[in-house]
Amino acid sequence: MDIDAFVTAHRPVWDRLDHLVKHRSSLTGAEVDELVELYQRVATHLSMVRSSSKDPMLVGRLSALVARARSAVTGAHTPAWREVTRFFTVSFPVVAYRARWWWLAVTVAFLVVGWVMGAWVAANPDVQASIASPDEITQLVEEDFADYYSEHPAASFASRVWTNNAWVAAQMIMYAAVLGLPIPYALYANAENVAVSGGLMASRDKLDIFFGLILPHGLLELTAIFLAAAVGLRLGWTVVDPGPRRRIEALAEQGRAVMSVAMGLVVVLFVSGLIEAFVTPSGLPTWARVGIGVLAEAVFLAYVIIFGRRALRENETGDIERAPDVAPTA
């Protein structure tokens, strides 16, 4: 092949493709069609040059032009940092914000059940006796409850706490697959555990120690679990009331939203685990430890409200961009 003649014959096509690529954001419909056609032609030219020419400059120029044209035709991939930014500023907070009433209902129900049950345990010696012997209760109240937070190295404990809390939240998420039906029982079981410990501590006038050790990490930890339960229950309710869309479309969108919450809560529970490992057992005064927990809770709620409300005003749903109409089945 006469490479000089080949370049002379096709240079106008290459220059035209280069022009279209540079102005791709303002092309008309006809120009877009032309861009696609020229991209295919120049890709063929590149193949021909590679097979019959040793000119590295020409091969390099055409390779770069074809790569730029391919990006213009197929669309460049969104940089990973943009996807991460969108997740934390749009997807996760708006899903949490849209579930706010479910979230609030779960929180109130948990607190009411936990408080009533804890008061019942604290006020009834017979109930306490059915839970443990007086010596075992004394051991729990005087030593075991506080020692739990300091008996392991902080880094190891943080890892264990994070794993355990993530598993509890994951259970709430997984229960969404069966329409959230087991979630009330799971919440009740957790409320019972907290209430029994609190009730036994209160029976021995150690409620200040109980809240001093629970609140620093528990505020954020329980808030995260309540959110996981809320989106799981909301998914179950979507089966009953899908709204104006087809039921399968509503389930697909809400199912993807549940997964957004699952990924976001990994970070939230990581922070909670750090507080439980490094702040809860620390030598800081109780007001300082509780204050750190309150601050972490306030920051998280403010984050959800500010970013979630803004995204909702922009008609964001938290769903993935260019989502399919239904969830894939294979």
Side-chain angles (χ1 to χ4, degrees):
M1 181 176 67
D2 187 336
I3 194 63
D4 293 330
F6 185 84
V7 171
T8 299
H10 297 295
R11 186 190 301 275
V13 173
W14 303 341
D15 291 342
R16 176 59 178 169
L17 178 59
D18 182 65
H19 173 81
L20 292 174
V21 170
K22 288 179 178 178
H23 298 85
R24 58 185 178 273
S25 61
S26 58
L27 299 182
T28 64
E31 288 173 330
V32 170
D33 292 339
E34 183 184 7
L35 170 64
V36 174
E37 179 187 355
L38 293 183
Y39 158 65
Q40 295 170 336
R41 289 172 60 184
V42 175
T44 301
H45 296 165
L46 174 61
S47 178
M48 295 170 63
V49 169
R50 279 176 170 168
S51 63
S52 59
S53 173
K54 303 298 183 181
D55 186 345
M57 295 293 291
L58 181 58
V59 171
R61 178 193 173 189
L62 289 182
S63 295
L65 179 58
V66 168
R68 291 165 52 223
R70 182 186 301 113
S71 175
V73 169
T74 62
H77 294 292
T78 303
W81 66 266
R82 288 186 58 189
E83 295 180 355
V84 172
T85 300
R86 173 178 168 78
F87 176 80
F88 283 107
T89 59
V90 176
S91 302
F92 175 57
V94 78
V95 171
Y97 187 75
R98 291 178 69 198
R100 61 193 182 280
W101 300 121
W102 289 88
W103 193 4
L104 179 61
V106 167
T107 301
V108 171
F110 184 96
L111 293 178
V112 169
V113 170
W115 190 269
V116 170
M117 188 177 297
W120 179 57
V121 171
N124 290 274
D126 291 341
V127 175
Q128 298 166 28
S130 69
I131 297 172
S133 68
D135 290 342
E136 290 173 331
I137 294 175
T138 299
Q139 178 72 20
L140 170 69
V141 170
E142 299 293 340
E143 297 182 25
D144 292 352
F145 188 79
D147 289 347
Y148 167 76
Y149 297 100
S150 56
E151 62 183 350
H152 299 287
S156 173
F157 186 57
S159 176
R160 291 177 56 190
V161 167
W162 184 29
T163 303
N164 178 72
N165 292 340
W167 170 241
V168 173
Q171 285 180 304
M172 301 295 179
I173 299 297
M174 290 187 293
Y175 290 152
V178 288
L179 309 183
L181 296 177
I183 291 177
Y185 174 76
L187 287 171
Y188 175 82
N190 280 273
E192 183 180 40
N193 290 335
V194 174
V196 167
S197 296
L200 294 177
M201 295 290 285
S203 71
R204 303 298 176 90
D205 295 323
K206 299 290 186 179
L207 205 55
D208 56 334
I209 297 177
F210 174 78
F211 284 119
L213 292 173
I214 285 290
L215 291 180
H217 63 275
L219 288 171
L220 189 61
E221 176 185 304
L222 288 175
T223 297
I225 292 173
F226 296 159
L227 175 57
V231 296
L233 289 170
R234 190 165 182 251
L235 175 61
W237 184 252
T238 301
V239 177
V240 179
D241 181 17
R245 296 165 299 170
R246 290 185 302 164
R247 181 170 281 103
I248 193 168
E249 293 176 357
L251 279 172
E253 179 185 315
Q254 189 58 31
R256 291 188 292 265
V258 167
M259 295 312 300
S260 293
V261 167
M263 291 186 290
L265 289 184
V266 170
V267 177
V268 178
L269 290 171
F270 177 71
V271 175
S272 170
L274 290 179
I275 295 174
E276 185 168 358
F278 293 96
V279 176
T280 298
S282 71
L284 292 172
T286 299
W287 66 264
R289 290 185 282 110
V290 174
I292 291 173
V294 171
L295 177 62
E297 174 79 354
V299 169
F300 177 58
L301 292 179
Y303 155 74
V304 169
I305 292 171
I306 293 171
F307 285 94
R309 181 183 293 169
R310 183 178 69 184
L312 190 62
R313 284 200 300 262
E314 296 172 356
N315 296 318
E316 293 281 359
T317 65
D319 203 356
I320 59 176
E321 295 182 293
R322 295 183 292 275
D325 290 336
V326 297
T329 58

